[in-house]
Amino acid sequence: MLCISVEEFLFWKKKQLSKGGDQQSFAVLLDCIGGIPASDLNLISINPRGNLHLKKNLEFLESVWDDHLLNSCPIQYLCGETFWRDLKLIVTDKVLIPRSETEIIVDIVFKIFGNKSQKLFFAELGTGSGAISIALASAYPTWNGIATDIDQDALKIAIKNYLNHSKQSNLKFYCGHWWTPFENFKGQLDLVVSNPPYIPQDTYETLPKEVKNFEPKIALLGGEDGLRHIREIIQKAPMYLREKGWLILENHFDQGEKVKQLLIKNKFKSVEIVNDLSGIGRFTIGRYK
Ligand SMILES: C[S@@+](CC[C@H](N)C(=O)[O-])C[C@H]1O[C@@H](n2cnc3c(N)ncnc32)[C@H](O)[C@@H]1O
């Protein structure tokens, strides 16, 4: 641990932020590499006298910040970690950096199921870093879950994250294309959640370079109209869901109505578009018969 004066630190921090970047990314750098949690950062600003302890020196932190600014590499990949809900998750360029709007999927589940302690069986299709499944498995220790991904490297990250966060064993991981890992679980799932790749091809080409150049294409691209994967997931869902089982999907900002119609066409009931915190119809949910 290195000890420096708060005054020196605040001067340095101001200089770094004057070069560019945003406060949130800077907070990730300070927490994950510097060892200063965001809560401490607020206290430091209120009381700027005294000293603070850093895990790495300012030169090293500055070099990571400069790398982020110069190459547009997401700070989460440079730090190897990110924050999502109350979880600190390992992330590499094999997994999508879980987005804050996706946190609402967990709130939707809480709203539907409350604090039900009965045994339920849930699945997540396309788990990436494992964020959603780990949050659900931790919130509902009596539930059993299966988290899948087509990418074995992504699954390795998800498993590490699960082991870091849970002493339970109520979440399993399988590799495979959408529903294929569930051949032995037909008609058994009470809840399936998925944030599949849904970016249309032409939108993908215009994504900011910090996304397009660094995040896995397989996690983003949803075919020509963005709905390729969502369509497949919805069409096959009736085979795997239990009667009255729920399907909760994240979609692109303008896909809500189309996803809703797909669910209705496939005999889902209680179909609803749920807004994210910006008022965008980001999630579409339904119950199979
Ligand atoms: C948008 S990311 C979501 C990751 C994570 N669930 C989250 O919300 O941050 C989509 C995930 O689906 C996975 N995926 C893509 N195609 C797939 C397929 N055919 N079958 C299963 N998973 C797939 C990707 O590897 C990626 O991890």
Side-chain angles (χ1 to χ4, degrees), residues 96-99 102 124 126-129 132 148-151 154 176-178 195-197 218-219 229:
L96 187 93
I97 298 162
R99 305 295 201 265
T102 304
E124 184 193 4
T127 195
S129 62
I132 303 170
T148 71
D149 207 286
I150 192 131
D151 189 305
H177 175 83
W178 302 130
N195 170 19
I218 197 173
H229 300 296

mmCIF file with all atom_site columns, all heavy atoms in Angstrom, residues 96-99 102 124 126-129 132 148-151 154 176-178 195-197 218-219 229, ligand 1:
data_model
loop_
_atom_site.group_PDB
_atom_site.id
_atom_site.type_symbol
_atom_site.label_atom_id
_atom_site.label_alt_id
_atom_site.label_comp_id
_atom_site.label_asym_id
_atom_site.label_entity_id
_atom_site.label_seq_id
_atom_site.pdbx_PDB_ins_code
_atom_site.Cartn_x
_atom_site.Cartn_y
_atom_site.Cartn_z
_atom_site.occupancy
_atom_site.B_iso_or_equiv
_atom_site.pdbx_formal_charge
_atom_site.auth_seq_id
_atom_site.auth_comp_id
_atom_site.auth_asym_id
_atom_site.auth_atom_id
_atom_site.pdbx_PDB_model_num
ATOM   1   N N   . LEU A 1 96  ? -19.361 -9.667  -22.856 1.00 0.00 ? 96  LEU A N   1
ATOM   2   C CA  . LEU A 1 96  ? -19.909 -8.321  -22.902 1.00 0.00 ? 96  LEU A CA  1
ATOM   3   C C   . LEU A 1 96  ? -19.789 -7.705  -21.504 1.00 0.00 ? 96  LEU A C   1
ATOM   4   O O   . LEU A 1 96  ? -19.958 -8.404  -20.505 1.00 0.00 ? 96  LEU A O   1
ATOM   5   C CB  . LEU A 1 96  ? -21.398 -8.417  -23.279 1.00 0.00 ? 96  LEU A CB  1
ATOM   6   C CG  . LEU A 1 96  ? -22.087 -7.098  -23.541 1.00 0.00 ? 96  LEU A CG  1
ATOM   7   C CD1 . LEU A 1 96  ? -22.020 -6.773  -25.035 1.00 0.00 ? 96  LEU A CD1 1
ATOM   8   C CD2 . LEU A 1 96  ? -23.551 -7.131  -23.103 1.00 0.00 ? 96  LEU A CD2 1
ATOM   9   N N   . ILE A 1 97  ? -19.486 -6.418  -21.451 1.00 0.00 ? 97  ILE A N   1
ATOM   10  C CA  . ILE A 1 97  ? -19.502 -5.737  -20.152 1.00 0.00 ? 97  ILE A CA  1
ATOM   11  C C   . ILE A 1 97  ? -20.981 -5.575  -19.771 1.00 0.00 ? 97  ILE A C   1
ATOM   12  O O   . ILE A 1 97  ? -21.737 -4.949  -20.525 1.00 0.00 ? 97  ILE A O   1
ATOM   13  C CB  . ILE A 1 97  ? -18.817 -4.352  -20.248 1.00 0.00 ? 97  ILE A CB  1
ATOM   14  C CG1 . ILE A 1 97  ? -17.350 -4.524  -20.650 1.00 0.00 ? 97  ILE A CG1 1
ATOM   15  C CG2 . ILE A 1 97  ? -18.938 -3.594  -18.931 1.00 0.00 ? 97  ILE A CG2 1
ATOM   16  C CD1 . ILE A 1 97  ? -16.700 -3.271  -21.187 1.00 0.00 ? 97  ILE A CD1 1
ATOM   17  N N   . PRO A 1 98  ? -21.405 -6.195  -18.672 1.00 0.00 ? 98  PRO A N   1
ATOM   18  C CA  . PRO A 1 98  ? -22.845 -6.117  -18.367 1.00 0.00 ? 98  PRO A CA  1
ATOM   19  C C   . PRO A 1 98  ? -23.275 -4.666  -18.163 1.00 0.00 ? 98  PRO A C   1
ATOM   20  O O   . PRO A 1 98  ? -22.602 -3.900  -17.469 1.00 0.00 ? 98  PRO A O   1
ATOM   21  C CB  . PRO A 1 98  ? -22.997 -6.944  -17.087 1.00 0.00 ? 98  PRO A CB  1
ATOM   22  C CG  . PRO A 1 98  ? -21.636 -7.116  -16.537 1.00 0.00 ? 98  PRO A CG  1
ATOM   23  C CD  . PRO A 1 98  ? -20.658 -6.948  -17.654 1.00 0.00 ? 98  PRO A CD  1
ATOM   24  N N   . ARG A 1 99  ? -24.405 -4.284  -18.799 1.00 0.00 ? 99  ARG A N   1
ATOM   25  C CA  . ARG A 1 99  ? -24.869 -2.901  -18.798 1.00 0.00 ? 99  ARG A CA  1
ATOM   26  C C   . ARG A 1 99  ? -25.790 -2.631  -17.611 1.00 0.00 ? 99  ARG A C   1
ATOM   27  O O   . ARG A 1 99  ? -26.514 -3.526  -17.169 1.00 0.00 ? 99  ARG A O   1
ATOM   28  C CB  . ARG A 1 99  ? -25.628 -2.598  -20.092 1.00 0.00 ? 99  ARG A CB  1
ATOM   29  C CG  . ARG A 1 99  ? -24.856 -2.900  -21.372 1.00 0.00 ? 99  ARG A CG  1
ATOM   30  C CD  . ARG A 1 99  ? -23.635 -1.986  -21.488 1.00 0.00 ? 99  ARG A CD  1
ATOM   31  N NE  . ARG A 1 99  ? -23.139 -1.873  -22.854 1.00 0.00 ? 99  ARG A NE  1
ATOM   32  C CZ  . ARG A 1 99  ? -22.158 -2.586  -23.397 1.00 0.00 ? 99  ARG A CZ  1
ATOM   33  N NH1 . ARG A 1 99  ? -21.538 -3.499  -22.677 1.00 0.00 ? 99  ARG A NH1 1
ATOM   34  N NH2 . ARG A 1 99  ? -21.782 -2.369  -24.649 1.00 0.00 ? 99  ARG A NH2 1
ATOM   35  N N   . THR A 1 102 ? -29.469 -3.566  -17.924 1.00 0.00 ? 102 THR A N   1
ATOM   36  C CA  . THR A 1 102 ? -29.810 -4.999  -17.794 1.00 0.00 ? 102 THR A CA  1
ATOM   37  C C   . THR A 1 102 ? -30.110 -5.372  -16.337 1.00 0.00 ? 102 THR A C   1
ATOM   38  O O   . THR A 1 102 ? -30.771 -6.377  -16.072 1.00 0.00 ? 102 THR A O   1
ATOM   39  C CB  . THR A 1 102 ? -28.652 -5.841  -18.378 1.00 0.00 ? 102 THR A CB  1
ATOM   40  O OG1 . THR A 1 102 ? -28.435 -5.416  -19.735 1.00 0.00 ? 102 THR A OG1 1
ATOM   41  C CG2 . THR A 1 102 ? -28.934 -7.324  -18.377 1.00 0.00 ? 102 THR A CG2 1
ATOM   42  N N   . GLU A 1 124 ? -30.856 -19.120 -17.819 1.00 0.00 ? 124 GLU A N   1
ATOM   43  C CA  . GLU A 1 124 ? -30.469 -17.920 -18.561 1.00 0.00 ? 124 GLU A CA  1
ATOM   44  C C   . GLU A 1 124 ? -29.796 -18.367 -19.851 1.00 0.00 ? 124 GLU A C   1
ATOM   45  O O   . GLU A 1 124 ? -28.835 -19.150 -19.823 1.00 0.00 ? 124 GLU A O   1
ATOM   46  C CB  . GLU A 1 124 ? -29.515 -17.036 -17.758 1.00 0.00 ? 124 GLU A CB  1
ATOM   47  C CG  . GLU A 1 124 ? -29.234 -15.763 -18.550 1.00 0.00 ? 124 GLU A CG  1
ATOM   48  C CD  . GLU A 1 124 ? -28.085 -14.906 -18.055 1.00 0.00 ? 124 GLU A CD  1
ATOM   49  O OE1 . GLU A 1 124 ? -27.395 -15.306 -17.102 1.00 0.00 ? 124 GLU A OE1 1
ATOM   50  O OE2 . GLU A 1 124 ? -27.860 -13.850 -18.653 1.00 0.00 ? 124 GLU A OE2 1
ATOM   51  N N   . GLY A 1 126 ? -27.425 -17.382 -22.808 1.00 0.00 ? 126 GLY A N   1
ATOM   52  C CA  . GLY A 1 126 ? -26.422 -16.367 -23.178 1.00 0.00 ? 126 GLY A CA  1
ATOM   53  C C   . GLY A 1 126 ? -25.980 -15.588 -21.959 1.00 0.00 ? 126 GLY A C   1
ATOM   54  O O   . GLY A 1 126 ? -26.182 -14.379 -21.854 1.00 0.00 ? 126 GLY A O   1
ATOM   55  N N   . THR A 1 127 ? -25.317 -16.258 -21.035 1.00 0.00 ? 127 THR A N   1
ATOM   56  C CA  . THR A 1 127 ? -25.031 -15.652 -19.718 1.00 0.00 ? 127 THR A CA  1
ATOM   57  C C   . THR A 1 127 ? -23.850 -14.684 -19.722 1.00 0.00 ? 127 THR A C   1
ATOM   58  O O   . THR A 1 127 ? -23.734 -13.833 -18.841 1.00 0.00 ? 127 THR A O   1
ATOM   59  C CB  . THR A 1 127 ? -24.840 -16.776 -18.666 1.00 0.00 ? 127 THR A CB  1
ATOM   60  O OG1 . THR A 1 127 ? -24.904 -16.208 -17.371 1.00 0.00 ? 127 THR A OG1 1
ATOM   61  C CG2 . THR A 1 127 ? -23.497 -17.494 -18.832 1.00 0.00 ? 127 THR A CG2 1
ATOM   62  N N   . GLY A 1 128 ? -22.935 -14.784 -20.682 1.00 0.00 ? 128 GLY A N   1
ATOM   63  C CA  . GLY A 1 128 ? -21.775 -13.875 -20.712 1.00 0.00 ? 128 GLY A CA  1
ATOM   64  C C   . GLY A 1 128 ? -20.986 -13.951 -19.419 1.00 0.00 ? 128 GLY A C   1
ATOM   65  O O   . GLY A 1 128 ? -20.517 -15.025 -19.022 1.00 0.00 ? 128 GLY A O   1
ATOM   66  N N   . SER A 1 129 ? -20.871 -12.824 -18.715 1.00 0.00 ? 129 SER A N   1
ATOM   67  C CA  . SER A 1 129 ? -20.118 -12.791 -17.453 1.00 0.00 ? 129 SER A CA  1
ATOM   68  C C   . SER A 1 129 ? -20.840 -13.517 -16.322 1.00 0.00 ? 129 SER A C   1
ATOM   69  O O   . SER A 1 129 ? -20.286 -13.659 -15.229 1.00 0.00 ? 129 SER A O   1
ATOM   70  C CB  . SER A 1 129 ? -19.902 -11.336 -17.028 1.00 0.00 ? 129 SER A CB  1
ATOM   71  O OG  . SER A 1 129 ? -21.162 -10.721 -16.800 1.00 0.00 ? 129 SER A OG  1
ATOM   72  N N   . ILE A 1 132 ? -26.557 -11.899 -14.603 1.00 0.00 ? 132 ILE A N   1
ATOM   73  C CA  . ILE A 1 132 ? -27.982 -12.068 -14.258 1.00 0.00 ? 132 ILE A CA  1
ATOM   74  C C   . ILE A 1 132 ? -28.186 -13.345 -13.443 1.00 0.00 ? 132 ILE A C   1
ATOM   75  O O   . ILE A 1 132 ? -28.852 -13.337 -12.395 1.00 0.00 ? 132 ILE A O   1
ATOM   76  C CB  . ILE A 1 132 ? -28.851 -12.130 -15.548 1.00 0.00 ? 132 ILE A CB  1
ATOM   77  C CG1 . ILE A 1 132 ? -28.651 -10.866 -16.396 1.00 0.00 ? 132 ILE A CG1 1
ATOM   78  C CG2 . ILE A 1 132 ? -30.314 -12.335 -15.214 1.00 0.00 ? 132 ILE A CG2 1
ATOM   79  C CD1 . ILE A 1 132 ? -29.286 -10.947 -17.792 1.00 0.00 ? 132 ILE A CD1 1
ATOM   80  N N   . THR A 1 148 ? -26.340 -20.682 -19.651 1.00 0.00 ? 148 THR A N   1
ATOM   81  C CA  . THR A 1 148 ? -25.678 -21.244 -20.828 1.00 0.00 ? 148 THR A CA  1
ATOM   82  C C   . THR A 1 148 ? -25.005 -20.142 -21.644 1.00 0.00 ? 148 THR A C   1
ATOM   83  O O   . THR A 1 148 ? -25.331 -18.967 -21.515 1.00 0.00 ? 148 THR A O   1
ATOM   84  C CB  . THR A 1 148 ? -26.695 -21.932 -21.770 1.00 0.00 ? 148 THR A CB  1
ATOM   85  O OG1 . THR A 1 148 ? -27.482 -20.921 -22.402 1.00 0.00 ? 148 THR A OG1 1
ATOM   86  C CG2 . THR A 1 148 ? -27.580 -22.889 -21.027 1.00 0.00 ? 148 THR A CG2 1
ATOM   87  N N   . ASP A 1 149 ? -24.102 -20.566 -22.486 1.00 0.00 ? 149 ASP A N   1
ATOM   88  C CA  . ASP A 1 149 ? -23.541 -19.659 -23.488 1.00 0.00 ? 149 ASP A CA  1
ATOM   89  C C   . ASP A 1 149 ? -22.962 -20.515 -24.604 1.00 0.00 ? 149 ASP A C   1
ATOM   90  O O   . ASP A 1 149 ? -22.561 -21.663 -24.367 1.00 0.00 ? 149 ASP A O   1
ATOM   91  C CB  . ASP A 1 149 ? -22.449 -18.762 -22.884 1.00 0.00 ? 149 ASP A CB  1
ATOM   92  C CG  . ASP A 1 149 ? -22.325 -17.439 -23.650 1.00 0.00 ? 149 ASP A CG  1
ATOM   93  O OD1 . ASP A 1 149 ? -21.786 -17.452 -24.783 1.00 0.00 ? 149 ASP A OD1 1
ATOM   94  O OD2 . ASP A 1 149 ? -22.783 -16.401 -23.135 1.00 0.00 ? 149 ASP A OD2 1
ATOM   95  N N   . ILE A 1 150 ? -22.894 -19.951 -25.786 1.00 0.00 ? 150 ILE A N   1
ATOM   96  C CA  . ILE A 1 150 ? -22.306 -20.686 -26.910 1.00 0.00 ? 150 ILE A CA  1
ATOM   97  C C   . ILE A 1 150 ? -20.779 -20.639 -26.837 1.00 0.00 ? 150 ILE A C   1
ATOM   98  O O   . ILE A 1 150 ? -20.097 -21.465 -27.425 1.00 0.00 ? 150 ILE A O   1
ATOM   99  C CB  . ILE A 1 150 ? -22.797 -20.128 -28.264 1.00 0.00 ? 150 ILE A CB  1
ATOM   100 C CG1 . ILE A 1 150 ? -22.433 -21.059 -29.407 1.00 0.00 ? 150 ILE A CG1 1
ATOM   101 C CG2 . ILE A 1 150 ? -22.244 -18.742 -28.548 1.00 0.00 ? 150 ILE A CG2 1
ATOM   102 C CD1 . ILE A 1 150 ? -23.560 -21.368 -30.315 1.00 0.00 ? 150 ILE A CD1 1
ATOM   103 N N   . ASP A 1 151 ? -20.282 -19.685 -26.060 1.00 0.00 ? 151 ASP A N   1
ATOM   104 C CA  . ASP A 1 151 ? -18.831 -19.467 -26.013 1.00 0.00 ? 151 ASP A CA  1
ATOM   105 C C   . ASP A 1 151 ? -18.245 -20.053 -24.725 1.00 0.00 ? 151 ASP A C   1
ATOM   106 O O   . ASP A 1 151 ? -18.548 -19.586 -23.622 1.00 0.00 ? 151 ASP A O   1
ATOM   107 C CB  . ASP A 1 151 ? -18.565 -17.957 -26.096 1.00 0.00 ? 151 ASP A CB  1
ATOM   108 C CG  . ASP A 1 151 ? -17.097 -17.657 -26.276 1.00 0.00 ? 151 ASP A CG  1
ATOM   109 O OD1 . ASP A 1 151 ? -16.271 -18.125 -25.444 1.00 0.00 ? 151 ASP A OD1 1
ATOM   110 O OD2 . ASP A 1 151 ? -16.754 -16.970 -27.227 1.00 0.00 ? 151 ASP A OD2 1
ATOM   111 N N   . ALA A 1 154 ? -16.422 -17.564 -22.506 1.00 0.00 ? 154 ALA A N   1
ATOM   112 C CA  . ALA A 1 154 ? -17.331 -16.727 -21.706 1.00 0.00 ? 154 ALA A CA  1
ATOM   113 C C   . ALA A 1 154 ? -17.795 -17.518 -20.485 1.00 0.00 ? 154 ALA A C   1
ATOM   114 O O   . ALA A 1 154 ? -17.808 -16.997 -19.361 1.00 0.00 ? 154 ALA A O   1
ATOM   115 C CB  . ALA A 1 154 ? -18.532 -16.294 -22.552 1.00 0.00 ? 154 ALA A CB  1
ATOM   116 N N   . GLY A 1 176 ? -23.667 -24.240 -25.222 1.00 0.00 ? 176 GLY A N   1
ATOM   117 C CA  . GLY A 1 176 ? -24.487 -24.712 -26.342 1.00 0.00 ? 176 GLY A CA  1
ATOM   118 C C   . GLY A 1 176 ? -25.316 -23.602 -26.955 1.00 0.00 ? 176 GLY A C   1
ATOM   119 O O   . GLY A 1 176 ? -25.450 -22.514 -26.389 1.00 0.00 ? 176 GLY A O   1
ATOM   120 N N   . HIS A 1 177 ? -25.867 -23.931 -28.119 1.00 0.00 ? 177 HIS A N   1
ATOM   121 C CA  . HIS A 1 177 ? -26.677 -22.981 -28.886 1.00 0.00 ? 177 HIS A CA  1
ATOM   122 C C   . HIS A 1 177 ? -28.074 -22.877 -28.258 1.00 0.00 ? 177 HIS A C   1
ATOM   123 O O   . HIS A 1 177 ? -28.768 -23.899 -28.117 1.00 0.00 ? 177 HIS A O   1
ATOM   124 C CB  . HIS A 1 177 ? -26.745 -23.484 -30.340 1.00 0.00 ? 177 HIS A CB  1
ATOM   125 C CG  . HIS A 1 177 ? -27.621 -22.683 -31.220 1.00 0.00 ? 177 HIS A CG  1
ATOM   126 N ND1 . HIS A 1 177 ? -27.199 -21.520 -31.835 1.00 0.00 ? 177 HIS A ND1 1
ATOM   127 C CD2 . HIS A 1 177 ? -28.912 -22.849 -31.586 1.00 0.00 ? 177 HIS A CD2 1
ATOM   128 C CE1 . HIS A 1 177 ? -28.185 -21.032 -32.563 1.00 0.00 ? 177 HIS A CE1 1
ATOM   129 N NE2 . HIS A 1 177 ? -29.225 -21.815 -32.423 1.00 0.00 ? 177 HIS A NE2 1
ATOM   130 N N   . TRP A 1 178 ? -28.462 -21.689 -27.853 1.00 0.00 ? 178 TRP A N   1
ATOM   131 C CA  . TRP A 1 178 ? -29.752 -21.393 -27.214 1.00 0.00 ? 178 TRP A CA  1
ATOM   132 C C   . TRP A 1 178 ? -30.370 -22.543 -26.421 1.00 0.00 ? 178 TRP A C   1
ATOM   133 O O   . TRP A 1 178 ? -29.938 -22.817 -25.320 1.00 0.00 ? 178 TRP A O   1
ATOM   134 C CB  . TRP A 1 178 ? -30.727 -20.781 -28.216 1.00 0.00 ? 178 TRP A CB  1
ATOM   135 C CG  . TRP A 1 178 ? -30.164 -19.509 -28.828 1.00 0.00 ? 178 TRP A CG  1
ATOM   136 C CD1 . TRP A 1 178 ? -30.085 -19.185 -30.146 1.00 0.00 ? 178 TRP A CD1 1
ATOM   137 C CD2 . TRP A 1 178 ? -29.562 -18.397 -28.124 1.00 0.00 ? 178 TRP A CD2 1
ATOM   138 N NE1 . TRP A 1 178 ? -29.481 -17.945 -30.317 1.00 0.00 ? 178 TRP A NE1 1
ATOM   139 C CE2 . TRP A 1 178 ? -29.145 -17.448 -29.099 1.00 0.00 ? 178 TRP A CE2 1
ATOM   140 C CE3 . TRP A 1 178 ? -29.313 -18.096 -26.773 1.00 0.00 ? 178 TRP A CE3 1
ATOM   141 C CZ2 . TRP A 1 178 ? -28.515 -16.245 -28.772 1.00 0.00 ? 178 TRP A CZ2 1
ATOM   142 C CZ3 . TRP A 1 178 ? -28.693 -16.900 -26.452 1.00 0.00 ? 178 TRP A CZ3 1
ATOM   143 C CH2 . TRP A 1 178 ? -28.308 -15.995 -27.441 1.00 0.00 ? 178 TRP A CH2 1
ATOM   144 N N   . ASN A 1 195 ? -30.725 -11.971 -22.391 1.00 0.00 ? 195 ASN A N   1
ATOM   145 C CA  . ASN A 1 195 ? -30.356 -10.704 -23.026 1.00 0.00 ? 195 ASN A CA  1
ATOM   146 C C   . ASN A 1 195 ? -29.533 -11.118 -24.248 1.00 0.00 ? 195 ASN A C   1
ATOM   147 O O   . ASN A 1 195 ? -28.313 -11.124 -24.218 1.00 0.00 ? 195 ASN A O   1
ATOM   148 C CB  . ASN A 1 195 ? -29.535 -9.863  -22.044 1.00 0.00 ? 195 ASN A CB  1
ATOM   149 C CG  . ASN A 1 195 ? -28.917 -8.640  -22.707 1.00 0.00 ? 195 ASN A CG  1
ATOM   150 O OD1 . ASN A 1 195 ? -29.355 -8.211  -23.775 1.00 0.00 ? 195 ASN A OD1 1
ATOM   151 N ND2 . ASN A 1 195 ? -27.885 -8.082  -22.075 1.00 0.00 ? 195 ASN A ND2 1
ATOM   152 N N   . PRO A 1 196 ? -30.211 -11.541 -25.316 1.00 0.00 ? 196 PRO A N   1
ATOM   153 C CA  . PRO A 1 196 ? -29.474 -12.091 -26.464 1.00 0.00 ? 196 PRO A CA  1
ATOM   154 C C   . PRO A 1 196 ? -28.877 -10.982 -27.330 1.00 0.00 ? 196 PRO A C   1
ATOM   155 O O   . PRO A 1 196 ? -29.219 -9.811  -27.151 1.00 0.00 ? 196 PRO A O   1
ATOM   156 C CB  . PRO A 1 196 ? -30.572 -12.838 -27.236 1.00 0.00 ? 196 PRO A CB  1
ATOM   157 C CG  . PRO A 1 196 ? -31.825 -12.108 -26.904 1.00 0.00 ? 196 PRO A CG  1
ATOM   158 C CD  . PRO A 1 196 ? -31.659 -11.483 -25.555 1.00 0.00 ? 196 PRO A CD  1
ATOM   159 N N   . PRO A 1 197 ? -28.013 -11.335 -28.266 1.00 0.00 ? 197 PRO A N   1
ATOM   160 C CA  . PRO A 1 197 ? -27.485 -10.311 -29.174 1.00 0.00 ? 197 PRO A CA  1
ATOM   161 C C   . PRO A 1 197 ? -28.650 -9.808  -30.038 1.00 0.00 ? 197 PRO A C   1
ATOM   162 O O   . PRO A 1 197 ? -29.340 -10.616 -30.639 1.00 0.00 ? 197 PRO A O   1
ATOM   163 C CB  . PRO A 1 197 ? -26.483 -11.083 -30.045 1.00 0.00 ? 197 PRO A CB  1
ATOM   164 C CG  . PRO A 1 197 ? -26.308 -12.423 -29.389 1.00 0.00 ? 197 PRO A CG  1
ATOM   165 C CD  . PRO A 1 197 ? -27.507 -12.686 -28.576 1.00 0.00 ? 197 PRO A CD  1
ATOM   166 N N   . ILE A 1 218 ? -20.106 -11.638 -31.276 1.00 0.00 ? 218 ILE A N   1
ATOM   167 C CA  . ILE A 1 218 ? -21.113 -12.693 -31.074 1.00 0.00 ? 218 ILE A CA  1
ATOM   168 C C   . ILE A 1 218 ? -22.108 -12.318 -29.961 1.00 0.00 ? 218 ILE A C   1
ATOM   169 O O   . ILE A 1 218 ? -23.222 -12.840 -29.896 1.00 0.00 ? 218 ILE A O   1
ATOM   170 C CB  . ILE A 1 218 ? -20.422 -14.053 -30.772 1.00 0.00 ? 218 ILE A CB  1
ATOM   171 C CG1 . ILE A 1 218 ? -21.392 -15.199 -30.963 1.00 0.00 ? 218 ILE A CG1 1
ATOM   172 C CG2 . ILE A 1 218 ? -19.792 -14.074 -29.403 1.00 0.00 ? 218 ILE A CG2 1
ATOM   173 C CD1 . ILE A 1 218 ? -20.779 -16.551 -30.848 1.00 0.00 ? 218 ILE A CD1 1
ATOM   174 N N   . ALA A 1 219 ? -21.697 -11.387 -29.105 1.00 0.00 ? 219 ALA A N   1
ATOM   175 C CA  . ALA A 1 219 ? -22.576 -10.967 -28.008 1.00 0.00 ? 219 ALA A CA  1
ATOM   176 C C   . ALA A 1 219 ? -23.492 -9.816  -28.427 1.00 0.00 ? 219 ALA A C   1
ATOM   177 O O   . ALA A 1 219 ? -24.421 -9.464  -27.690 1.00 0.00 ? 219 ALA A O   1
ATOM   178 C CB  . ALA A 1 219 ? -21.735 -10.533 -26.804 1.00 0.00 ? 219 ALA A CB  1
ATOM   179 N N   . HIS A 1 229 ? -31.962 -13.942 -33.182 1.00 0.00 ? 229 HIS A N   1
ATOM   180 C CA  . HIS A 1 229 ? -31.868 -14.802 -31.993 1.00 0.00 ? 229 HIS A CA  1
ATOM   181 C C   . HIS A 1 229 ? -33.142 -14.747 -31.156 1.00 0.00 ? 229 HIS A C   1
ATOM   182 O O   . HIS A 1 229 ? -33.593 -15.768 -30.634 1.00 0.00 ? 229 HIS A O   1
ATOM   183 C CB  . HIS A 1 229 ? -30.656 -14.402 -31.156 1.00 0.00 ? 229 HIS A CB  1
ATOM   184 C CG  . HIS A 1 229 ? -29.370 -14.523 -31.905 1.00 0.00 ? 229 HIS A CG  1
ATOM   185 N ND1 . HIS A 1 229 ? -28.898 -15.728 -32.358 1.00 0.00 ? 229 HIS A ND1 1
ATOM   186 C CD2 . HIS A 1 229 ? -28.478 -13.584 -32.317 1.00 0.00 ? 229 HIS A CD2 1
ATOM   187 C CE1 . HIS A 1 229 ? -27.751 -15.539 -33.007 1.00 0.00 ? 229 HIS A CE1 1
ATOM   188 N NE2 . HIS A 1 229 ? -27.481 -14.249 -32.995 1.00 0.00 ? 229 HIS A NE2 1
HETATM 189 C C1  . LIG B 2 .   ? -25.808 -9.480  -25.111 1.00 0.00 ? 1   LIG B C1  1
HETATM 190 S S1  . LIG B 2 .   ? -24.739 -10.727 -24.463 1.00 0.00 ? 1   LIG B S1  1
HETATM 191 C C2  . LIG B 2 .   ? -25.432 -10.879 -22.850 1.00 0.00 ? 1   LIG B C2  1
HETATM 192 C C3  . LIG B 2 .   ? -24.455 -11.318 -21.811 1.00 0.00 ? 1   LIG B C3  1
HETATM 193 C C4  . LIG B 2 .   ? -25.018 -11.239 -20.367 1.00 0.00 ? 1   LIG B C4  1
HETATM 194 N N1  . LIG B 2 .   ? -26.169 -12.080 -20.206 1.00 0.00 ? 1   LIG B N1  1
HETATM 195 C C5  . LIG B 2 .   ? -25.367 -9.800  -20.023 1.00 0.00 ? 1   LIG B C5  1
HETATM 196 O O1  . LIG B 2 .   ? -26.557 -9.486  -19.962 1.00 0.00 ? 1   LIG B O1  1
HETATM 197 O O2  . LIG B 2 .   ? -24.443 -9.010  -19.831 1.00 0.00 ? 1   LIG B O2  1
HETATM 198 C C6  . LIG B 2 .   ? -25.289 -12.173 -25.315 1.00 0.00 ? 1   LIG B C6  1
HETATM 199 C C7  . LIG B 2 .   ? -24.619 -13.469 -24.920 1.00 0.00 ? 1   LIG B C7  1
HETATM 200 O O3  . LIG B 2 .   ? -25.196 -14.506 -25.723 1.00 0.00 ? 1   LIG B O3  1
HETATM 201 C C8  . LIG B 2 .   ? -24.181 -15.399 -26.128 1.00 0.00 ? 1   LIG B C8  1
HETATM 202 N N2  . LIG B 2 .   ? -24.618 -16.046 -27.383 1.00 0.00 ? 1   LIG B N2  1
HETATM 203 C C9  . LIG B 2 .   ? -24.532 -15.565 -28.648 1.00 0.00 ? 1   LIG B C9  1
HETATM 204 N N3  . LIG B 2 .   ? -25.040 -16.449 -29.524 1.00 0.00 ? 1   LIG B N3  1
HETATM 205 C C10 . LIG B 2 .   ? -25.466 -17.517 -28.789 1.00 0.00 ? 1   LIG B C10 1
HETATM 206 C C11 . LIG B 2 .   ? -26.104 -18.756 -29.121 1.00 0.00 ? 1   LIG B C11 1
HETATM 207 N N4  . LIG B 2 .   ? -26.385 -19.069 -30.393 1.00 0.00 ? 1   LIG B N4  1
HETATM 208 N N5  . LIG B 2 .   ? -26.399 -19.596 -28.119 1.00 0.00 ? 1   LIG B N5  1
HETATM 209 C C12 . LIG B 2 .   ? -26.110 -19.289 -26.832 1.00 0.00 ? 1   LIG B C12 1
HETATM 210 N N6  . LIG B 2 .   ? -25.511 -18.135 -26.456 1.00 0.00 ? 1   LIG B N6  1
HETATM 211 C C13 . LIG B 2 .   ? -25.199 -17.252 -27.413 1.00 0.00 ? 1   LIG B C13 1
HETATM 212 C C14 . LIG B 2 .   ? -22.948 -14.526 -26.311 1.00 0.00 ? 1   LIG B C14 1
HETATM 213 O O4  . LIG B 2 .   ? -21.773 -15.288 -26.257 1.00 0.00 ? 1   LIG B O4  1
HETATM 214 C C15 . LIG B 2 .   ? -23.131 -13.521 -25.171 1.00 0.00 ? 1   LIG B C15 1
HETATM 215 O O5  . LIG B 2 .   ? -22.469 -13.953 -24.013 1.00 0.00 ? 1   LIG B O5  1
#
